[in-house]
Amino acid sequence: MKVIICGAGQVGYNIARSLAREDNDITVIDQSEDLIRKLSESLDIKGLIGYASHPDVLEQAGAADADMLIAVTASDEVNMVACQVAHALFNVPTKIARVRHQGYLQPMWADLFSRENLPIDVIISPELEVARAIGRRLKVPGATDVIPFAGDRVYLVSLKADAACPVVNTPLAQLTELFPDLTLRIVAIIRGDRMMVPTPRDQILPGDQIYFVADREHVPRAMAIFGFEEREARRIVVVGGGNIGLFLTVQLEKLQPRLNIKLIEADRHRAERIADRLSHSLVLSGSGLDPDLLGDANISHAETIVTVTNDDESNILSALLAKRLGCKRAMALVNNPTYPPLISSLGVDVVINPRAVTVSRILQHVRRGRIHAVYSLHDGGGEIIEADALETSPLVGRPLRDTALPPGVIIGAVVRDGKVMAPDGDTIIKVRDRIVLFALADSIRKVEKLFSVRLEFF
């Protein structure tokens, strides 16, 4: 597949890295000579210096025979114009644009992004995606990530196992024997810097990052098995009233009206505007690093603090201060990729990575075939993929133990007629089953090839 990526920042780089390792034909455009040079030196891609919205630059990038254009520059306007030019002059089949400014995304302007106006096939709003991701994590206390699949019937949940976890040093096969009615399968373990697909003989060790796939209804029980039995947060403090903080609070008010939410925003005028848009949350003006203000927000009785300002260091320090003042759980938005490995040891429970969320949303539309959802894990080390099994699939009609899946691939759940199943060797896949599987990065292309030929992907 030939893909043009406009923008060589963190998101553009990670999309290029994910696609380049699968032998796609990738060209990245950016105005920065330094970014293009670094990207070209580290990846097998073509780098082009220039303005992504200029017709001559897109022509030089090969837009005439490109399959897709992904516009993720720092400018919404450049992203939109690049898609318009790619459509009008080069007839690029699929155009994806990152749009940050919420003014473009208001429901009243829904017709803006149409084939007749701005022909963009997929709009990605990182702020909205991140706010939704935080909302999901708040619903599952103890989880470091929660991703819905199969129409919200299946959850991918990640958590950190510590020495107090009841099932550490227990072979995974024994977990199935102990809880036979629990629809759950561990699909990946991160141990140190290594991500692996576990076998039934493997054990969970203290310090492991666990990813499991489960029926949504079984998630609370699954979390209890891993030692997380705290109730869903009822008292929440949000630090940062930007697009993420505001959208998160509005979303929480709508979905869980009984929550006690306090939002802290440094800019007084912004705080006043936010207060007018919220129905019952309390808005405080000041710094999330002010212990007295955190005291006014009753932080010692809050179950969770969520820090989502535009400054990584402020988010980290505010989260740690809140924990010191008695808050039970801390989530911090962190953009700098060098920080997350350091933060968890300091006491921040959940690190929110906007880049990972955005990249996953874009990959969902890049993957070939009949794929419903994709989520990238561990900085591109693997992906969770949701797809349909159709008549020609080699998975259909035979026990899974007799199916030669590529190495590094594991099926986490099968959804049939609305029922979620945790597959084993005796499971026989049927036509139209919804499959949720995990694949390590080196196996993604093999899975994609298998599915693109065997499943009706095109």
Side-chain angles (χ1 to χ4, degrees), residues 60 120 162 173-174 177 191 196 211 266 309 331 339 422 456:
Q60 189 178 349
I120 303 175
D162 58 23
Q174 192 172 334
E177 297 171 4
R191 185 168 295 160
M196 64 180 185
Y211 289 88
T309 74
M331 299 184 180
Y339 286 166
E456 186 189 337

Side-chain angles (χ1 to χ4, degrees), residues 313-326:
E313 290 77 11
S314 294
N315 291 339
I316 296 167
L317 292 174
S318 182
L320 294 175
L321 178 59
K323 290 286 293 281
R324 183 179 179 184
L325 294 174

Side-chain angles (χ1 to χ4, degrees), residues 35-329:
L35 288 177
I36 290 297
R37 184 182 66 255
K38 291 176 183 177
L39 192 144
S40 299
E41 289 173 351
S42 60
L43 301 176
D44 184 18
I45 60 97
K46 177 183 177 183
L48 187 60
I49 301 168
Y51 289 86
S53 57
H54 287 186
D56 58 327
V57 175
L58 289 174
E59 181 182 39
Q60 189 178 349
D65 58 351
D67 299 294
M68 179 178 293
L69 181 137
I70 303 170
V72 288
T73 74
S75 168
D76 290 350
E77 290 71 24
V78 170
N79 294 339
M80 291 187 286
V81 172
C83 289
Q84 176 74 67
V85 173
H87 171 80
L89 298 184
F90 303 104
N91 199 28
V92 176
T94 303
K95 287 81 60 185
I96 299 174
R98 178 174 64 181
V99 178
R100 281 199 163 105
H101 196 284
Q102 298 305 299
Y104 289 119
L105 305 176
Q106 296 300 319
M108 67 182 72
W109 314 126
D111 291 338
L112 175 61
F113 302 107
S114 64
R115 193 171 185 85
E116 297 75 23
N117 298 315
L118 278 173
I120 303 175
D121 302 289
V122 181
I123 297 291
I124 305 293
S125 171
E127 288 79 8
L128 300 188
E129 295 297 337
V130 169
R132 293 187 182 110
I134 296 170
R136 292 193 298 267
R137 296 176 203 191
L138 287 171
K139 292 174 65 176
V140 185
T144 57
D145 208 350
V146 179
I147 309 298
F149 291 95
D152 211 39
R153 296 184 184 94
V154 175
Y155 275 7
L156 169 73
V157 179
S158 73
L159 56 86
K160 189 76 171 286
D162 58 23
C165 175
V167 293
V168 293
N169 303 317
T170 302
L172 301 188
Q174 192 172 334
L175 288 182
T176 304
E177 297 171 4
L178 291 171
F179 310 101
D181 59 336
L182 187 63
T183 306
L184 174 148
R185 190 165 196 186
I186 296 175
V187 295
I189 295 176
I190 298 175
R191 185 168 295 160
D193 293 329
R194 176 173 170 252
M195 172 175 269
M196 64 180 185
V197 172
T199 69
R201 298 182 300 277
D202 284 319
Q203 301 179 12
I204 298 172
L205 303 180
D208 282 353
Q209 185 78 25
I210 309 298
Y211 289 88
F212 69 82
V213 171
D215 185 323
R216 181 192 64 189
E217 302 299 328
H218 293 190
V219 168
R221 185 180 168 204
M223 294 300 292
I225 289 171
F226 289 107
F228 297 94
E229 299 186 73
E230 57 261 57
R231 66 175 188 172
E232 190 174 336
R234 288 289 178 264
R235 295 179 294 274
I236 298 171
V237 176
V238 177
V239 178
N243 289 331
I244 295 174
L246 176 58
F247 184 80
L248 172 65
T249 306
V250 169
Q251 178 183 249
L252 292 175
E253 284 191 340
K254 185 183 301 182
L255 299 178
Q256 302 179 64
R258 295 186 179 180
L259 286 179
N260 182 320
I261 306 172
K262 296 179 176 66
L263 187 150
I264 297 174
E265 165 56 36
D267 186 287
R268 184 173 186 83
H269 296 295
R270 172 77 179 172
E272 291 172 353
R273 292 196 299 272
I274 291 172
D276 292 336
R277 294 189 57 182
L278 300 177
S279 60
H280 58 269
S281 298
L282 178 64
V283 179
L284 303 173
S285 178
S287 170
L289 294 172
D290 183 348
D292 292 333
L293 187 61
L294 289 175
D296 293 340
N298 204 16
I299 195 67
S300 62
H301 291 88
E303 281 108 359
T304 304
I305 185 169
V306 183
T307 58
V308 288
T309 74
N310 292 324
D311 184 79
D312 286 355
E313 290 77 11
S314 294
N315 291 339
I316 296 167
L317 292 174
S318 182
L320 294 175
L321 178 59
K323 290 286 293 281
R324 183 179 179 184
L325 294 174
C327 184
K328 297 180 179 62
R329 188 168 174 77

